Amino acid sequence: MDWQAKSGLTGRCFLFTFVTRGDWFARRHFVMTVKDGLFLFSKNYAKEKSGMSEETLYSEHYVLSEGKRLRCGYTTGTCAALAASGAAQKLLLGRFPEKVAVTTPKGWKVEAVPEEIRCGDGWAECGVRKDGGDDIDDTDGALICAAVSRCREPGIHIDGGTGVGRVTRPGLDQPVGESAINRVPREMIARAVEQVQDLADDTGGLKVIISVPGGEEIARKTFNPSLGIQGGISILGTSGVV
């Protein structure tokens, strides 16, 4: 594959042609914006310049590591926020979206297709599959689920369910006894649900339970047991991106 730079764009933006050769041949045009050492590809500008259909273009984020171009993935915290948004939309708006979206703390908009959609009287649940990008870890491919239900107490109350660990030692992000959902993911989850509440003009109290099927088994492969987090994985992330 070849990267052919085209000049004429201002600032730190560059138009690239992506050429692949093998059993088939195709050209793809992207705009690359360099920010914090990451490559951001804009499909809207590329579509305008190339005339290609929406289906042939995509937006992805990359980072250079030791001369290699790696596709970025998303944290368990981002996935939890995406899942919470989908569940809240079903509960408060009466529909499950085909795609869910949140903006990460890094400022990137992330979209995903919700899975394992369920609902009942006063509650709704959906999951989002963890995508670790090219730098995968043990949580890659795990289903991060969020169940949203109404509660009498005002505000948004976040806790961990099956497959999410509990803190048993002091000195971690959360106090002893709390679920291992770190501060930034909690903020992302709350913000995602609040945005749906705004759309629904809803001010009632809501409970959000994050769970991970198979999370306890996954956690045995991580440092969680030695850190004093028992019973599952942690919901992590400061930038929302890995």
Side-chain angles (χ1 to χ4, degrees):
M1 59 182 66
D2 301 324
W3 289 93
Q4 302 172 8
K6 305 293 183 181
S7 62
L9 296 177
T10 60
R12 293 185 175 183
C13 292
F14 306 90
L15 179 63
F16 275 76
T17 302
F18 180 50
V19 184
T20 61
R21 295 183 176 88
D23 295 334
W24 58 279
F25 178 91
R27 288 178 180 267
R28 297 291 184 264
H29 302 267
F30 302 94
V31 168
M32 182 187 79
T33 302
V34 181
K35 183 178 181 181
D36 298 331
L38 297 170
F39 294 87
L40 283 70
F41 294 89
S42 168
K43 70 180 179 182
N44 291 331
Y45 187 93
K47 180 181 179 182
E48 176 185 345
K49 289 297 181 182
S50 67
M52 291 189 292
S53 68
E54 182 84 9
E55 289 74 22
T56 62
L57 298 166
Y58 57 89
S59 294
E60 288 187 332
H61 304 127
Y62 293 86
V63 62
L64 285 177
S65 177
E66 297 181 355
K68 295 181 179 180
R69 189 175 65 96
L70 301 177
R71 182 176 65 86
C72 294
Y74 306 105
T75 63
T76 49
T78 294
C79 295
L82 288 163
S85 175
Q89 288 184 57
K90 174 57 180 175
L91 180 65
L92 303 179
L93 301 177
R95 59 174 174 80
F96 273 119
E98 293 183 0
K99 288 185 178 180
V100 287
V102 299
T103 299
T104 68
K106 201 170 186 66
W108 296 351
K109 182 180 178 180
V110 176
E111 293 183 340
V113 177
E115 302 181 27
E116 301 292 330
I117 298 170
R118 303 188 302 149
C119 61
D121 185 18
W123 65 274
E125 181 179 20
C126 79
V128 167
R129 191 72 58 179
K130 171 70 160 59
D131 179 4
D134 288 337
D135 187 18
I136 62 174
D137 61 12
D138 291 315
T139 64
D140 185 60
L143 190 67
I144 313 298
C145 301
V148 179
S149 60
R150 295 194 177 275
C151 65
R152 294 181 179 179
E153 297 79 12
I156 297 172
H157 307 273
I158 300 169
D159 202 355
T162 303
V164 174
R166 288 274 163 187
V167 177
T168 64
R169 296 179 190 171
L172 299 177
D173 183 271
Q174 294 296 302
V176 172
E178 287 292 329
S179 59
I181 304 174
N182 280 9
R183 177 185 59 83
V184 173
R186 286 177 185 268
E187 293 172 352
M188 293 178 66
I189 293 164
R191 184 165 57 249
V193 174
E194 286 169 354
Q195 289 173 347
V196 180
Q197 280 191 301
D198 290 343
L199 291 174
D201 195 22
D202 183 275
T203 58
L206 295 173
K207 180 185 289 185
V208 183
I209 303 296
I210 306 299
S211 61
V212 182
E216 187 170 2
E217 181 179 351
I218 296 172
R220 296 192 188 103
K221 305 173 186 178
T222 72
F223 292 112
N224 273 16
S226 60
L227 291 174
I229 299 173
Q230 301 296 327
I233 68 169
S234 300
I235 305 301
L236 302 172
T238 54
S239 69
V241 179
V242 292

